[in-house]
Every structure is written in C-alpha cells, then in structure tokens.
Amino acid sequence: MRTPDVDDGPVFLEADAEDRDRYGRLLRYVYVPAEDGSMTMVNRYLVEQGYAEAGSYPPNVRHQGRAVCRRRERRYRSEPGLWGSCR
C-alpha cells in the first residue's frame, strides 16, 4: 500500500457516534483519495504500518470490525515492517 498523502490534497473526515472523547479530543476517521480513485483510510494505514495502536471506545465503534481491530493489529505485529522491528 502506498503511503497516503495527507499534506497536499483533499482530506475527508468522518464522524462516529460522538464528536469528542472524554478528554475533549476531536474524534474522526481520516480518508484521502488513492491513485485508483478509491479512498484510503489513514487510521487503518497507521495501524497496519505500526504507527498507531488499535482502540475501540464505545459508542464510537463504527469501523471497529475493519479499521481498528485488535486482531488485525496483532497480525501486523507478526509481519515485517515497523511492528516486526519490535521483536
């Protein structure tokens, strides 16, 4: 997967059940257009590459099954890449 470019193009934000968490942080899923015309979910990319940990905080669980799933995070930790360097 090519690194999503969040600097120079449009960025699309998607809200979940709540606007902010209990600490006042804005909660959003972040998307950027991919070269093939599809949308790349930046949140998922960050977990896959080992730059973020998956988390699920009800009621904000819209993409729990595909974007920020702990099972997926464990799988990526066992593969080469940033997570693989932590062995």
Coordinates of all heavy atoms in Angstrom, one line a residue:
M1 N 0.8 -1.2 0.0 CA 0.0 0.0 0.0 C 0.9 1.2 0.0 O 1.8 1.3 0.7 CB -0.9 0.0 1.2 CG -1.7 1.3 1.4 SD -2.6 1.4 2.9 CE -3.9 0.2 2.7
R2 N 0.6 2.2 -0.9 CA 1.3 3.4 -0.9 C 0.9 4.3 0.3 O -0.2 4.3 0.7 CB 0.9 4.1 -2.2 CG 1.8 5.3 -2.5 CD 1.5 5.8 -4.0 NE 2.3 7.0 -4.2 CZ 1.7 8.2 -4.2 NH1 0.4 8.3 -4.1 NH2 2.4 9.3 -4.4
T3 N 1.9 5.1 0.7 CA 1.7 6.0 1.9 C 0.7 7.0 1.5 O 0.8 7.7 0.5 CB 3.0 6.7 2.3 OG1 4.0 5.7 2.5 CG2 2.8 7.5 3.5
P4 N -0.4 7.1 2.3 CA -1.4 8.2 2.0 C -0.8 9.6 2.1 O -0.1 9.8 3.0 CB -2.5 8.0 3.1 CG -2.1 6.7 3.7 CD -0.7 6.4 3.4
D5 N -1.2 10.4 1.2 CA -0.7 11.8 1.2 C -1.7 12.7 1.8 O -2.7 13.0 1.3 CB -0.4 12.3 -0.2 CG 0.2 13.6 -0.3 OD1 0.5 14.2 0.8 OD2 0.4 14.1 -1.4
V6 N -1.4 13.1 3.0 CA -2.4 14.0 3.7 C -1.9 15.5 3.7 O -2.6 16.3 4.3 CB -2.6 13.5 5.2 CG1 -3.2 12.2 5.3 CG2 -1.3 13.5 6.0
D7 N -0.8 15.8 3.1 CA -0.3 17.1 3.1 C -0.8 18.0 1.9 O -1.1 19.2 2.1 CB 1.2 17.1 3.0 CG 1.9 16.6 4.2 OD1 1.3 16.7 5.3 OD2 3.0 16.0 4.1
D8 N -0.9 17.4 0.7 CA -1.1 18.3 -0.4 C -2.5 18.2 -1.1 O -2.8 18.9 -2.0 CB -0.1 18.0 -1.5 CG 1.3 18.3 -1.0 OD1 1.5 19.3 -0.3 OD2 2.3 17.6 -1.4
G9 N -3.3 17.3 -0.7 CA -4.6 17.1 -1.3 C -5.7 17.2 -0.4 O -5.6 17.5 0.8
P10 N -6.9 16.9 -0.9 CA -8.1 16.9 0.0 C -8.0 15.8 1.0 O -7.5 14.7 0.8 CB -9.3 16.7 -1.0 CG -8.7 16.0 -2.1 CD -7.3 16.5 -2.2
V11 N -8.6 16.0 2.2 CA -8.7 15.1 3.3 C -10.2 15.1 3.7 O -10.8 16.1 3.8 CB -7.8 15.5 4.5 CG1 -8.0 14.6 5.7 CG2 -6.3 15.5 4.1
F12 N -10.7 13.9 3.8 CA -12.1 13.7 4.2 C -12.2 13.2 5.6 O -11.5 12.2 5.9 CB -12.8 12.8 3.2 CG -12.8 13.4 1.8 CD1 -11.7 13.0 0.9 CD2 -13.7 14.3 1.3 CE1 -11.7 13.5 -0.3 CE2 -13.6 14.8 0.1 CZ -12.6 14.4 -0.8
L13 N -13.1 13.8 6.4 CA -13.2 13.4 7.8 C -14.6 12.8 8.0 O -15.6 13.3 7.5 CB -13.0 14.6 8.7 CG -11.7 15.3 8.6 CD1 -11.7 16.5 9.5 CD2 -10.5 14.4 8.9
E14 N -14.7 11.7 8.8 CA -15.9 11.0 9.1 C -16.1 11.0 10.6 O -15.2 10.5 11.3 CB -15.9 9.6 8.5 CG -17.2 8.8 8.8 CD -17.1 7.4 8.3 OE1 -16.0 6.9 8.1 OE2 -18.2 6.8 8.3
A15 N -17.2 11.4 11.1 CA -17.5 11.4 12.5 C -18.1 10.0 12.9 O -18.6 9.2 12.0 CB -18.5 12.5 12.9
D16 N -18.1 9.7 14.1 CA -18.7 8.5 14.6 C -19.9 8.9 15.5 O -20.4 10.0 15.3 CB -17.7 7.6 15.4 CG -18.1 6.1 15.4 OD1 -19.3 5.8 15.4 OD2 -17.1 5.3 15.4
A17 N -20.2 8.1 16.5 CA -21.3 8.4 17.4 C -21.2 9.7 18.2 O -22.1 10.5 18.4 CB -21.6 7.3 18.4
E18 N -19.9 10.0 18.6 CA -19.7 11.2 19.4 C -18.7 12.1 18.7 O -17.8 11.6 18.0 CB -19.1 10.8 20.8 CG -20.1 10.0 21.6 CD -19.4 9.5 22.9 OE1 -18.2 9.3 23.0 OE2 -20.2 9.4 23.9
D19 N -18.8 13.4 18.9 CA -17.8 14.3 18.3 C -16.5 14.3 19.0 O -15.5 14.5 18.4 CB -18.4 15.7 18.4 CG -18.6 16.3 17.0 OD1 -18.6 15.6 16.0 OD2 -18.9 17.5 17.0
R20 N -16.5 14.2 20.3 CA -15.3 14.3 21.1 C -15.2 13.2 22.2 O -16.2 12.7 22.6 CB -15.2 15.7 21.8 CG -15.1 16.8 20.8 CD -14.8 18.1 21.4 NE -14.8 19.2 20.4 CZ -13.6 19.5 19.8 NH1 -12.5 19.0 20.1 NH2 -13.7 20.5 18.9
D21 N -14.0 12.9 22.6 CA -13.8 11.9 23.7 C -13.9 12.6 25.0 O -14.1 13.8 25.1 CB -12.5 11.1 23.5 CG -11.3 11.9 23.7 OD1 -11.3 13.1 24.1 OD2 -10.2 11.3 23.4
R22 N -13.7 11.8 26.1 CA -13.9 12.4 27.4 C -12.8 13.4 27.7 O -12.9 14.2 28.7 CB -13.9 11.3 28.5 CG -12.6 10.5 28.6 CD -12.8 9.4 29.6 NE -11.6 8.6 29.6 CZ -11.4 7.7 30.5 NH1 -12.2 7.5 31.5 NH2 -10.3 6.9 30.4
Y23 N -11.7 13.5 26.9 CA -10.6 14.5 27.1 C -10.8 15.7 26.2 O -9.9 16.6 26.2 CB -9.3 13.8 26.9 CG -9.1 12.6 27.7 CD1 -9.1 11.3 27.2 CD2 -8.8 12.7 29.1 CE1 -9.0 10.2 28.0 CE2 -8.6 11.6 29.9 CZ -8.7 10.4 29.4 OH -8.5 9.2 30.1
G24 N -11.9 15.7 25.5 CA -12.1 16.8 24.6 C -11.5 16.7 23.2 O -11.6 17.7 22.4
R25 N -10.9 15.6 22.9 CA -10.2 15.5 21.6 C -11.3 15.2 20.5 O -12.2 14.4 20.7 CB -9.2 14.3 21.6 CG -8.1 14.6 22.6 CD -7.1 13.4 22.7 NE -7.8 12.3 23.3 CZ -7.2 11.2 23.9 NH1 -5.9 11.2 23.9 NH2 -7.9 10.3 24.4
L26 N -11.1 15.8 19.4 CA -12.0 15.6 18.2 C -11.8 14.2 17.7 O -10.6 13.8 17.5 CB -11.7 16.6 17.1 CG -12.7 16.7 16.0 CD1 -14.1 17.1 16.4 CD2 -12.1 17.7 14.9
L27 N -12.8 13.4 17.5 CA -12.8 12.0 17.0 C -13.2 12.0 15.6 O -14.3 12.3 15.2 CB -13.7 11.1 17.8 CG -13.4 11.1 19.4 CD1 -14.5 10.3 20.1 CD2 -12.1 10.6 19.7
R28 N -12.3 11.5 14.7 CA -12.6 11.4 13.3 C -11.9 10.3 12.6 O -10.7 9.9 13.0 CB -12.2 12.7 12.5 CG -13.0 13.9 12.9 CD -14.5 13.8 12.4 NE -15.3 14.9 12.8 CZ -16.0 15.1 13.9 NH1 -16.0 14.2 14.8 NH2 -16.7 16.2 14.1
Y29 N -12.5 9.7 11.6 CA -11.8 8.7 10.7 C -11.3 9.6 9.6 O -12.1 10.5 9.1 CB -12.8 7.7 10.2 CG -13.4 6.8 11.3 CD1 -14.7 7.0 11.8 CD2 -12.6 5.9 12.0 CE1 -15.2 6.3 12.8 CE2 -13.1 5.1 13.0 CZ -14.4 5.3 13.4 OH -14.9 4.6 14.4
V30 N -10.1 9.4 9.1 CA -9.5 10.3 8.1 C -9.3 9.5 6.8 O -8.8 8.4 6.8 CB -8.1 10.8 8.6 CG1 -7.5 11.7 7.6 CG2 -8.3 11.5 9.9
Y31 N -9.7 10.0 5.7 CA -9.6 9.4 4.4 C -8.9 10.4 3.4 O -9.1 11.6 3.5 CB -11.0 9.1 3.8 CG -11.8 8.1 4.6 CD1 -12.6 8.6 5.6 CD2 -11.8 6.8 4.3 CE1 -13.4 7.7 6.4 CE2 -12.5 5.9 5.0 CZ -13.3 6.3 6.1 OH -14.1 5.4 6.8
V32 N -8.1 9.8 2.5 CA -7.5 10.5 1.4 C -7.8 9.7 0.1 O -7.8 8.5 0.1 CB -6.0 10.8 1.6 CG1 -5.8 11.7 2.8 CG2 -5.3 9.5 1.7
P33 N -7.9 10.4 -1.0 CA -8.1 9.7 -2.3 C -6.8 9.0 -2.7 O -5.7 9.5 -2.5 CB -8.4 10.9 -3.3 CG -8.7 12.1 -2.5 CD -8.0 11.9 -1.2
A34 N -7.0 7.7 -3.2 CA -5.9 6.9 -3.6 C -5.8 7.2 -5.2 O -6.7 7.7 -5.8 CB -6.2 5.5 -3.3
E35 N -4.7 6.7 -5.7 CA -4.4 6.9 -7.2 C -5.5 6.2 -8.0 O -5.8 6.7 -9.1 CB -3.0 6.4 -7.5 CG -1.9 7.2 -7.0 CD -0.6 6.7 -7.3 OE1 -0.5 5.5 -7.8 OE2 0.4 7.5 -7.2
D36 N -6.0 5.1 -7.5 CA -7.0 4.4 -8.3 C -8.4 4.9 -8.2 O -9.4 4.3 -8.7 CB -7.0 2.9 -8.0 CG -7.4 2.6 -6.5 OD1 -7.8 3.6 -5.8 OD2 -7.4 1.4 -6.1
G37 N -8.6 6.0 -7.5 CA -9.9 6.6 -7.3 C -10.6 6.2 -6.0 O -11.7 6.7 -5.7
S38 N -10.1 5.2 -5.4 CA -10.8 4.7 -4.1 C -10.3 5.6 -3.0 O -9.5 6.6 -3.2 CB -10.4 3.3 -3.8 OG -9.0 3.2 -3.5
M39 N -10.8 5.4 -1.8 CA -10.4 6.2 -0.6 C -9.6 5.3 0.3 O -9.9 4.2 0.5 CB -11.7 6.7 0.1 CG -12.6 7.6 -0.7 SD -11.7 9.1 -1.2 CE -11.8 10.0 0.3
T40 N -8.5 5.9 0.8 CA -7.6 5.2 1.7 C -7.9 5.7 3.1 O -7.9 6.9 3.4 CB -6.1 5.5 1.4 OG1 -5.9 4.9 0.1 CG2 -5.2 4.8 2.4
M41 N -8.2 4.8 4.0 CA -8.5 5.2 5.4 C -7.1 5.3 6.1 O -6.4 4.3 6.4 CB -9.3 4.1 6.1 CG -9.7 4.5 7.5 SD -10.6 3.2 8.3 CE -11.9 4.1 9.2
V42 N -6.8 6.5 6.5 CA -5.5 6.8 7.1 C -5.4 6.1 8.5 O -4.3 5.6 8.8 CB -5.2 8.3 7.2 CG1 -3.9 8.6 7.9 CG2 -5.3 9.0 5.9
N43 N -6.4 6.1 9.2 CA -6.4 5.4 10.6 C -6.0 4.0 10.4 O -5.1 3.5 11.2 CB -7.8 5.4 11.2 CG -8.4 6.8 11.2 OD1 -8.7 7.3 10.1 ND2 -8.7 7.4 12.3
R44 N -6.5 3.3 9.4 CA -6.2 1.9 9.2 C -4.7 1.7 8.8 O -4.0 0.8 9.2 CB -7.1 1.3 8.2 CG -6.8 -0.2 7.8 CD -7.8 -0.7 6.8 NE -7.5 -2.0 6.5 CZ -8.2 -2.8 5.6 NH1 -9.2 -2.3 5.1 NH2 -7.8 -4.0 5.4
Y45 N -4.3 2.6 7.9 CA -2.9 2.6 7.4 C -1.9 2.7 8.6 O -0.9 2.0 8.6 CB -2.7 3.7 6.4 CG -1.3 3.8 5.9 CD1 -0.8 3.0 4.9 CD2 -0.4 4.7 6.5 CE1 0.6 3.1 4.6 CE2 0.9 4.8 6.1 CZ 1.4 4.0 5.2 OH 2.7 4.1 4.8
L46 N -2.2 3.6 9.5 CA -1.3 3.9 10.6 C -1.2 2.6 11.5 O -0.1 2.3 12.0 CB -1.8 5.1 11.4 CG -1.7 6.4 10.7 CD1 -2.4 7.5 11.5 CD2 -0.3 6.8 10.4
V47 N -2.3 1.9 11.7 CA -2.3 0.6 12.5 C -1.5 -0.4 11.7 O -0.6 -1.1 12.3 CB -3.7 0.1 12.8 CG1 -3.7 -1.3 13.4 CG2 -4.4 1.1 13.8
E48 N -1.8 -0.6 10.4 CA -1.1 -1.6 9.6 C 0.4 -1.4 9.6 O 1.2 -2.3 9.5 CB -1.6 -1.6 8.2 CG -3.1 -2.1 8.1 CD -3.7 -1.9 6.7 OE1 -3.0 -1.3 5.8 OE2 -4.8 -2.4 6.5
Q49 N 0.8 -0.1 9.5 CA 2.3 0.2 9.5 C 3.0 0.2 10.8 O 4.2 0.4 10.9 CB 2.5 1.5 8.7 CG 2.0 1.4 7.3 CD 2.7 0.3 6.5 OE1 3.9 0.2 6.5 NE2 1.9 -0.5 5.8
G50 N 2.2 0.1 11.9 CA 2.8 0.1 13.2 C 3.0 1.5 13.8 O 3.6 1.6 14.8
Y51 N 2.4 2.5 13.3 CA 2.5 3.8 13.8 C 1.4 4.2 14.8 O 1.4 5.3 15.4 CB 2.5 4.9 12.7 CG 3.7 4.7 11.8 CD1 3.5 4.2 10.5 CD2 4.9 5.1 12.2 CE1 4.6 4.1 9.6 CE2 6.0 4.9 11.3 CZ 5.8 4.4 10.1 OH 6.9 4.3 9.2
A52 N 0.4 3.3 15.0 CA -0.7 3.5 15.9 C -1.1 2.2 16.5 O -0.9 1.2 15.8 CB -1.8 4.3 15.2
E53 N -1.8 2.2 17.6 CA -2.4 1.0 18.2 C -3.9 1.1 17.9 O -4.5 2.2 18.0 CB -2.1 0.9 19.6 CG -0.7 0.6 20.0 CD -0.4 0.4 21.4 OE1 -1.4 0.1 22.2 OE2 0.7 0.5 21.8
A54 N -4.5 0.0 17.7 CA -5.9 0.0 17.5 C -6.6 0.2 18.9 O -6.1 -0.3 19.9 CB -6.4 -1.4 16.9
G55 N -7.7 0.9 18.8 CA -8.5 1.1 20.0 C -10.0 1.2 19.7 O -10.4 1.6 18.6
S56 N -10.8 0.7 20.6 CA -12.2 0.8 20.5 C -12.8 1.3 21.7 O -12.6 0.8 22.8 CB -12.8 -0.6 20.2 OG -14.1 -0.6 20.1
Y57 N -13.6 2.4 21.6 CA -14.1 3.1 22.8 C -15.6 3.4 22.5 O -16.0 4.4 21.9 CB -13.4 4.4 23.0 CG -11.9 4.2 23.2 CD1 -11.0 4.3 22.1 CD2 -11.4 3.7 24.4 CE1 -9.7 4.1 22.2 CE2 -10.0 3.4 24.5 CZ -9.2 3.6 23.4 OH -7.8 3.4 23.6
P58 N -16.5 2.4 23.0 CA -17.9 2.6 22.8 C -18.4 3.9 23.3 O -17.8 4.4 24.3 CB -18.5 1.4 23.5 CG -17.4 0.4 23.6 CD -16.2 1.2 23.7
P59 N -19.3 4.6 22.6 CA -20.1 4.1 21.5 C -19.5 4.4 20.1 O -20.1 4.2 19.1 CB -21.4 4.9 21.6 CG -21.0 6.2 22.2 CD -19.8 5.9 23.1
N60 N -18.2 4.8 20.1 CA -17.6 5.1 18.8 C -16.9 3.9 18.2 O -15.7 3.7 18.3 CB -16.5 6.2 19.0 CG -17.2 7.4 19.6 OD1 -18.0 8.0 19.0 ND2 -16.8 7.7 20.9
V61 N -17.7 3.0 17.6 CA -17.2 1.7 17.1 C -17.7 1.4 15.7 O -17.7 0.3 15.2 CB -17.7 0.6 18.0 CG1 -17.1 0.7 19.4 CG2 -19.2 0.6 18.1
R62 N -17.9 2.5 14.9 CA -18.4 2.3 13.5 C -17.5 1.4 12.7 O -18.0 0.5 12.0 CB -18.6 3.6 12.8 CG -19.0 3.5 11.4 CD -19.3 4.8 10.7 NE -20.5 5.4 11.4 CZ -20.7 6.7 11.6 NH1 -19.8 7.6 11.1 NH2 -21.7 7.1 12.2
H63 N -16.2 1.6 12.8 CA -15.3 0.8 12.0 C -14.5 -0.2 12.8 O -13.4 -0.7 12.4 CB -14.3 1.7 11.2 CG -15.0 2.6 10.3 ND1 -15.6 2.1 9.1 CD2 -15.2 3.9 10.3 CE1 -16.1 3.1 8.4 NE2 -16.0 4.2 9.1
Q64 N -15.0 -0.6 13.9 CA -14.3 -1.5 14.8 C -13.9 -2.8 14.1 O -12.8 -3.3 14.3 CB -15.1 -1.8 16.0 CG -14.5 -2.8 17.0 CD -15.4 -3.0 18.2 OE1 -16.3 -2.3 18.5 NE2 -15.1 -4.1 18.9
G65 N -14.8 -3.3 13.3 CA -14.6 -4.6 12.6 C -13.6 -4.5 11.5 O -13.0 -5.5 11.2
R66 N -13.3 -3.4 10.9 CA -12.4 -3.3 9.8 C -11.2 -2.4 9.9 O -10.1 -2.7 9.4 CB -13.1 -3.0 8.5 CG -13.6 -1.6 8.4 CD -14.1 -1.4 6.9 NE -13.4 -0.3 6.3 CZ -13.9 0.8 6.0 NH1 -15.1 1.1 6.3 NH2 -13.2 1.8 5.4
A67 N -11.3 -1.3 10.7 CA -10.3 -0.3 10.7 C -9.4 -0.4 11.9 O -8.2 -0.2 11.8 CB -10.9 1.1 10.5
V68 N -9.9 -0.6 13.0 CA -9.1 -0.5 14.2 C -9.4 -1.8 15.1 O -9.7 -1.7 16.3 CB -9.4 0.7 15.0 CG1 -8.9 2.0 14.3 CG2 -10.9 0.9 15.3
C69 N -9.2 -2.9 14.5 CA -9.5 -4.2 15.1 C -8.2 -4.7 15.8 O -7.2 -4.8 15.2 CB -10.0 -5.2 14.1 SG -10.3 -6.8 14.7
R70 N -8.3 -5.1 17.0 CA -7.1 -5.7 17.7 C -6.5 -6.9 17.1 O -5.3 -7.1 17.0 CB -7.5 -6.0 19.2 CG -7.7 -4.8 20.0 CD -6.5 -4.4 20.7 NE -6.7 -3.2 21.5 CZ -5.8 -2.3 21.8 NH1 -4.6 -2.5 21.3 NH2 -6.0 -1.3 22.5
R71 N -7.4 -7.8 16.5 CA -6.9 -9.0 15.9 C -6.0 -8.6 14.7 O -5.0 -9.2 14.4 CB -8.0 -9.9 15.4 CG -8.8 -10.6 16.5 CD -9.8 -11.4 15.9 NE -10.7 -10.6 15.0 CZ -12.0 -10.5 15.1 NH1 -12.6 -11.1 15.9 NH2 -12.6 -9.7 14.2
R72 N -6.4 -7.6 13.9 CA -5.7 -7.1 12.8 C -4.3 -6.5 13.3 O -3.3 -6.8 12.7 CB -6.4 -6.1 12.0 CG -5.7 -5.6 10.8 CD -6.6 -4.8 9.9 NE -7.5 -5.7 9.3 CZ -8.6 -5.4 8.6 NH1 -8.9 -4.2 8.4 NH2 -9.4 -6.3 8.2
E73 N -4.4 -5.8 14.4 CA -3.1 -5.2 14.9 C -2.2 -6.3 15.3 O -1.0 -6.3 14.9 CB -3.4 -4.4 16.1 CG -2.2 -3.7 16.7 CD -2.6 -3.0 18.0 OE1 -3.5 -2.2 17.9 OE2 -1.9 -3.1 19.0
R74 N -2.7 -7.4 15.9 CA -1.8 -8.5 16.3 C -1.2 -9.1 15.0 O 0.0 -9.5 15.0 CB -2.5 -9.5 17.1 CG -2.7 -9.1 18.5 CD -3.2 -10.2 19.4 NE -4.5 -10.7 19.1 CZ -5.6 -10.2 19.6 NH1 -5.6 -9.2 20.4 NH2 -6.8 -10.7 19.2
R75 N -2.0 -9.3 14.0 CA -1.5 -9.8 12.7 C -0.3 -9.0 12.2 O 0.7 -9.5 11.8 CB -2.6 -10.0 11.7 CG -2.1 -10.7 10.4 CD -3.2 -10.8 9.4 NE -2.9 -9.8 8.4 CZ -3.8 -9.2 7.7 NH1 -5.1 -9.4 7.8 NH2 -3.4 -8.3 6.8
Y76 N -0.5 -7.7 12.1 CA 0.5 -6.8 11.6 C 1.8 -6.8 12.4 O 2.9 -6.7 11.9 CB 0.0 -5.4 11.4 CG -1.0 -5.3 10.3 CD1 -2.3 -4.9 10.5 CD2 -0.7 -5.7 9.0 CE1 -3.3 -4.9 9.5 CE2 -1.6 -5.7 8.0 CZ -2.9 -5.3 8.2 OH -3.8 -5.2 7.2
R77 N 1.6 -7.0 13.7 CA 2.8 -7.0 14.6 C 3.6 -8.3 14.3 O 4.8 -8.2 14.5 CB 2.3 -7.1 16.1 CG 1.9 -5.8 16.6 CD 1.6 -5.9 18.1 NE 1.0 -4.6 18.5 CZ 1.4 -4.0 19.6 NH1 2.4 -4.5 20.3 NH2 0.9 -2.9 20.0
S78 N 3.0 -9.3 13.7 CA 3.8 -10.5 13.4 C 4.4 -10.5 12.0 O 5.2 -11.3 11.7 CB 2.9 -11.8 13.5 OG 1.9 -11.7 12.5
E79 N 4.2 -9.4 11.3 CA 4.7 -9.3 9.9 C 5.8 -8.3 9.9 O 6.0 -7.5 10.8 CB 3.6 -8.8 9.0 CG 2.5 -9.8 8.8 CD 1.4 -9.3 7.9 OE1 1.4 -8.2 7.4 OE2 0.4 -10.1 7.7
P80 N 6.6 -8.3 8.8 CA 7.7 -7.3 8.6 C 7.1 -5.9 8.7 O 5.9 -5.7 8.5 CB 8.3 -7.6 7.3 CG 7.8 -9.0 6.9 CD 6.5 -9.2 7.6
G81 N 8.0 -5.0 8.9 CA 7.6 -3.6 8.9 C 7.9 -3.0 10.3 O 8.7 -3.6 11.0
L82 N 7.3 -1.9 10.7 CA 7.7 -1.3 11.9 C 7.4 -2.2 13.1 O 8.2 -2.3 14.0 CB 6.9 0.0 12.1 CG 7.3 0.9 13.3 CD1 8.7 1.3 13.3 CD2 6.4 2.1 13.4
W83 N 6.2 -2.9 13.1 CA 5.9 -3.8 14.2 C 6.9 -4.9 14.3 O 7.3 -5.4 15.3 CB 4.5 -4.4 14.0 CG 3.4 -3.5 14.4 CD1 2.4 -3.1 13.5 CD2 3.1 -2.8 15.6 NE1 1.5 -2.3 14.1 CE2 1.9 -2.0 15.4 CE3 3.7 -2.7 16.8 CZ2 1.4 -1.3 16.4 CZ3 3.2 -1.9 17.8 CH2 2.0 -1.2 17.6
G84 N 7.3 -5.4 13.1 CA 8.3 -6.5 13.0 C 9.6 -6.1 13.7 O 10.3 -7.0 14.2
S85 N 10.0 -4.9 13.6 CA 11.3 -4.4 14.2 C 11.2 -4.4 15.7 O 12.3 -4.2 16.4 CB 11.7 -3.1 13.7 OG 10.8 -2.1 14.1
C86 N 10.1 -4.7 16.3 CA 9.9 -4.6 17.8 C 10.2 -6.0 18.4 O 10.0 -6.1 19.6 CB 8.5 -4.1 18.2 SG 8.2 -2.4 17.7
R87 N 10.5 -7.0 17.6 CA 10.7 -8.3 18.1 C 11.9 -8.5 19.0 O 12.9 -7.8 18.9 CB 10.8 -9.3 17.0 CG 9.4 -9.5 16.3 CD 9.6 -10.5 15.2 NE 8.5 -10.2 14.3 CZ 8.4 -10.6 13.1 NH1 9.4 -11.4 12.6 NH2 7.4 -10.4 12.3

